[in-house]
Amino acid sequence: MTTITVGEAVARTLEAYAVSAVYGVISIHNLPIADAIGQRQRVRFVPSRGEAGAVTMADGHTRMGGLGVALTSTGAGAGNAVGAMLEALNAGTPLLHITGQVEKAYLDRDAGFIHETRDQMGFLQACSKRAYRATTPEQVVPLLHRAIQEAMTLPRGPVSIEIPIDIQASEVEWVASTPVQPAAPAPVADAEIDRLAEQILAAKRPMLWIGGGCLDAGDAVLRLADIGLPVVSSTHARGVLPDSHARSLRAFHSAPAVEELYAQSDLMLVAGSRLRSNETRTYSVELPHPLVQIDVDPAAAQRNYTADTFLCGECGDVLSRLADRLQGSFTPDSGFDEDVARAVQDAEKALRKQVGEYARLSDAIRDALPENGVFVRDITVSGSTWGSRLLPIERPLTNIHSLAGAIGQGLATGIGCAVGAKGRKVVTIVGDGGLMLMVGELATLAQESLDMTLVVMNDGGYGVMRGIQNKYFDGRQYYNDLHTPDFQTMAAALDLPHWKVSHGDDFQAVIAEAVGHDGPAVVEIDMKSVGPLEFAGPPQKKLY
């Protein structure tokens, strides 16, 4: 029997799950784990500049496939990760957060032990799907298996495990174990699928709304669209059905032209979507009835809209079996396709008019980004307008953004995506205000030499807030102007290739050159010179 440290046992267990990268900040309260990863040299360690960045990077990595892992210290270190954990929880990202803890003998004693904090488990439970604490060396590996299984089981989410420092450094007998598989949800009964098929066959203009629960259901969604169901997508599910499909309504969920289609529809099937506030105008968009909801989480039933029928099951399975029953039997309304095409055209035309000159930037990025490339957007004016709905998307998880709506995570998300994407090009847009929340991660981008182009939309402050204050506060402008650093000098200090664009005529050439560069690059868009971009916050029934 081989005796190894718990830190090495953690490293070996991560290897067994084919973890390719761990993101973190090394600390006296996680060094046994970091040391083991370094000695074994089988898992890439990405040294973030902050714990929030580490978890955000792990989130982006996971969205590219595989299991993202973040390693933080205890106390303030674990606390710094909370906001990023909340984003992963909102997005249903199955990442693993490993954090240290003080020596077991001093736990929960308020002893003044370095890095100690009161009720760390409490705040980890609040921001995680589940949180665990190891209390013996022998318990660590079984808890890791449990945590990973929990993270990967639908509905997925981030899981935290804290390991006291003396346990990390202690020795255990190593027994190799087989990775556990996530628990499979119970299938929906055939009779329920049959009844749903009958409802759709009786309808003249049924529609399908898909959310993040359909990210793995692309084949089934495509079959239903081919059969005749128009598909509207949440922003998280963009690309599950390619934008180029004739029956894709893309993410124009609350566009007036698309709302007219809802009024003409006689059945709405909602699959794996929360019907979020910013996609339904604070739940005021009137959806067709009967409304049938499919979700793997039984607690999702009736969450935001009243459903006439709720089917508790995995979306890919339910939609695939539904397509089997509809194939060759459903005849779509002859005029619905024309109405769908007209609605998309009208919605896109209105959005292009709204964003003005920046529609050319969207087009330039789409032209430069390879077909398998990944577009990451922070919560910015650009990200919430042309970035969320205008930029064409053909594959799932290639338009990545914050589901919780927090600014400042774009850079770190892009870094995680660039590591996890394994050779696929990443373009990330951030605002100058949001960038400063995690600006230190620019050094991570440079140090890791990642193939990512960072586009900084510089309007000298919080552009979203300016728009909201202008609309809801009689134009009074307070606290949204920020002292902005010289991003060109900053990029040069990190030896990052950099460009600055002050006119829309230069979008195409500069973006093509920057994205074509092999490695990290920074493009700054001087929005005050290019021109205004109108945005007054997400669509809301009532904001203030």
Side-chain angles (χ1 to χ4, degrees):
M1 194 73 70
T2 303
T3 299
I4 61 175
T5 66
V6 167
E8 183 174 345
V10 171
R12 291 191 183 196
T13 303
L14 297 181
E15 293 165 16
Y17 282 91
V19 169
S20 60
V22 171
Y23 303 85
V25 179
I26 63 170
S27 158
I28 61 170
H29 279 119
N30 63 28
L31 266 179
I33 297 172
D35 179 68
I37 292 171
Q39 285 194 74
R40 293 179 64 79
Q41 290 293 303
R42 298 181 187 181
V43 176
R44 180 177 184 175
F45 189 89
V46 178
S48 64
R49 270 47 179 184
E51 293 84 2
V55 174
T56 302
M57 291 172 195
D59 186 345
H61 182 118
T62 305
R63 298 192 203 189
M64 296 297 97
L67 178 67
V69 178
L71 179 66
T72 71
S73 183
T74 188
N80 288 340
V82 169
M85 290 293 288
L86 290 173
E87 165 58 28
L89 191 63
N90 267 271
T93 303
L95 65 85
L96 178 65
H97 171 216
I98 302 173
T99 181
Q101 207 13 308
V102 303
E103 290 182 23
K104 192 174 68 170
Y106 301 97
L107 267 170
D108 303 323
R109 283 181 49 186
D110 194 21
F113 202 101
I114 186 172
H115 292 178
E116 179 186 35
T117 188
R118 183 173 58 185
D119 194 19
Q120 175 171 294
M121 182 57 67
F123 68 69
L124 291 178
Q125 289 172 334
C127 67
S128 307
K129 180 184 176 184
R130 294 286 184 276
Y132 299 98
R133 172 185 287 175
T135 57
T136 67
E138 292 75 19
Q139 192 183 24
V140 171
V141 169
L143 273 183
L144 279 173
H145 286 297
R146 176 65 180 271
I148 293 171
Q149 181 187 47
E150 189 76 49
M152 299 298 294
T153 296
L154 295 169
R156 301 183 182 107
V159 175
S160 294
I161 177 171
E162 56 176 34
I163 309 173
I165 185 59
D166 51 333
I167 290 179
Q168 291 180 43
S170 60
E171 293 191 339
V172 291
E173 292 182 346
W174 173 251
V175 179
S177 52
T178 303
V180 297
Q181 298 302 313
V188 172
D190 284 335
E192 292 187 78
I193 306 290
D194 291 339
R195 280 193 293 270
L196 176 55
E198 289 171 5
Q199 281 185 285
I200 293 176
L201 290 172
K204 289 182 169 36
R205 290 192 164 197
M207 301 181 71
L208 172 61
W209 181 309
I210 60 172
C214 289
L215 288 171
D216 297 326
D219 290 343
V221 171
L222 177 59
R223 288 178 64 198
L224 289 171
D226 288 342
I227 286 169
L229 275 67
V231 178
V232 63
S233 168
S234 73
T235 53
H236 192 35
R238 288 205 61 197
V240 170
L241 182 68
D243 281 358
S244 58
H245 195 285
R247 293 192 176 104
S248 171
L249 288 160
R250 294 155 56 175
F252 292 123
H253 11 67
S254 58
V258 175
E259 285 194 72
E260 290 179 14
L261 291 183
Y262 299 156
Q264 301 167 19
S265 174
D266 50 1
L267 184 144
M268 173 66 84
L269 182 60
V270 177
S273 175
R274 290 176 176 262
L275 298 172
R276 294 172 183 271
S277 64
N278 60 327
E279 297 175 342
T280 58
R281 214 167 46 247
T282 321
Y283 321 113
S284 68
V285 170
E286 294 188 14
L287 298 181
H289 282 273
L291 191 150
V292 180
Q293 183 183 6
I294 303 169
D295 203 288
V296 75
D297 183 1
Q302 318 295 339
R303 179 179 279 151
N304 293 323
Y305 276 77
T306 300
D308 300 288
T309 304
F310 178 76
L311 278 65
C312 186
E314 193 272 319
C315 290
D317 176 64
V318 173
L319 296 181
S320 180
R321 291 159 63 196
L322 176 63
D324 290 341
R325 287 158 172 78
L326 297 179
Q327 193 76 50
S329 299
F330 179 76
T331 303
D333 183 286
S334 58
F336 210 12
D337 283 347
E338 293 179 6
D339 293 340
V340 166
R342 190 179 305 113
V344 172
Q345 291 169 3
D346 290 349
E348 180 171 334
K349 182 178 178 181
L351 184 55
R352 282 186 173 273
K353 182 178 179 181
Q354 176 191 346
V355 303
E357 195 75 357
Y358 296 94
R360 299 169 68 184
L361 177 57
S362 176
D363 295 339
I365 290 175
R366 183 67 277 168
D367 290 344
L369 190 62
E371 183 180 348
N372 69 345
V374 180
F375 180 69
V376 179
R377 51 189 174 87
D378 205 349
I379 301 300
T380 67
V381 174
S382 294
S384 299
T385 53
W386 60 263
S388 68
R389 288 168 286 141
L390 184 60
L391 187 81
I393 299 296
E394 297 293 300
R395 300 183 182 192
L397 291 173
T398 55
N399 188 315
I400 306 297
H401 66 289
S402 166
L403 274 291
I407 69 168
Q409 296 180 327
L411 171 58
T413 302
I415 288 171
C417 288
V419 175
K422 298 177 181 177
R424 296 159 60 194
K425 189 77 182 190
V426 175
V427 171
T428 299
I429 64 164
V430 298
D432 60 294
L435 175 59
M436 295 307 293
L437 271 73
M438 289 196 196
V439 70
E441 304 304 351
L442 269 175
T444 306
L445 174 65
Q447 180 173 327
E448 298 298 306
S449 192
L450 300 170
D451 194 15
M452 185 183 98
T453 301
L454 181 70
V455 180
V456 183
M457 307 300 297
N458 186 358
D459 61 359
Y462 295 132
V464 173
M465 293 299 104
R466 288 191 187 115
I468 292 174
Q469 289 174 324
N470 189 57
K471 180 176 180 179
Y472 294 101
F473 294 87
D474 298 325
R476 297 187 299 275
Q477 300 291 318
Y478 297 119
Y479 320 125
N480 55 43
D481 288 331
L482 302 174
H483 179 73
T484 301
D486 186 332
F487 292 113
Q488 299 298 295
T489 301
M490 186 179 292
L494 292 166
D495 290 327
L496 293 171
H498 51 93
W499 294 258
K500 187 171 184 176
V501 179
S502 301
H503 197 284
D505 289 345
D506 298 325
F507 283 155
Q508 196 77 28
V510 171
I511 293 296
E513 184 178 0
V515 175
H517 173 75
D518 185 15
V522 176
V523 176
E524 178 184 358
I525 308 296
D526 183 351
M527 297 181 69
K528 291 182 179 178
S529 296
V530 171
L533 177 50
E534 301 300 328
F535 182 65
Q540 301 281 341
K541 178 177 63 176
K542 177 174 170 51
L543 190 57
Y544 295 103

